[in-house]
Amino acid sequence: MNPGNGGSPLSFDLHGTDSTHLAAIRGWAAGILGDLGAPHREDVLLVLTEIAQNAYQHGGGARTLLLTRLAAPCEVRIDVEDNSVVPPRMRTPEPTTFGGRGLFLVDTLSAAWGSRDDLPANSKTVWARVRCDLEHQEPCRRP
């Protein structure tokens, strides 16, 4: 099963979940993205994990995850809706602090990322596009 055949996203309902569900969410995404080259798939899973963790930690909980496959170049779009309208903010952590590096990873591994708010729904969606044409990745296999 490939997300984004024709640009149609596959959805994972995150209502009622918390950060303890991240392994199951990654497992769902990994199964769907099994035809990607390993480095690309791992980048997608890392970006997905960081965005979802931020939704749980800073966004009042996650609502929905969408994965969309875009064909040329092989690209996966990740959208995570959460319960906040506060946009994500990259900060520069001190070398001795534990956290605060997730959005730097998202920024490094993504072709683009950002957020959009939905004021009527009192939510926002953080999105990222992860491509397979980065220097360290093998090309995606086609089914």
Side-chain angles (χ1 to χ4, degrees), residues 26-134:
R26 277 192 309 270
W28 173 80
I32 289 169
L33 302 171
D35 65 316
L36 295 183
H40 186 202
R41 185 176 51 253
E42 292 305 316
D43 286 354
V44 170
L45 294 176
L46 181 55
V47 169
L48 180 157
T49 300
E50 291 299 332
I51 293 174
Q53 177 59 33
N54 279 350
Y56 292 123
Q57 188 172 2
H58 305 293
R63 292 183 179 187
T64 306
L65 163 66
L66 298 176
L67 289 180
T68 308
R69 175 78 58 87
L70 305 171
C74 179
E75 180 176 285
V76 177
R77 181 180 169 113
I78 303 155
D79 292 81
V80 177
E81 181 187 15
D82 66 31
N83 292 310
S84 172
V85 295
V86 178
R89 174 176 64 94
M90 265 199 312
R91 54 191 164 110
T92 304
E94 296 296 320
T96 57
T97 60
F98 177 70
R101 292 163 181 81
L103 288 178
F104 285 105
L105 288 170
V106 170
D107 190 59
T108 299
L109 297 174
S110 301
W113 71 276
S115 69
R116 65 183 179 282
D117 59 14
D118 183 349
L119 295 177
N122 197 32
S123 69
K124 75 169 172 304
T125 298
V126 178
W127 58 270
R129 294 185 351 249
V130 183
R131 295 169 54 152
C132 75
D133 60 354
L134 297 177

Side-chain angles (χ1 to χ4, degrees), residues 11-24:
S11 178
F12 191 104
D13 184 359
L14 300 173
H15 287 90
T17 65
D18 59 32
S19 62
T20 64
H21 294 91
L22 285 170

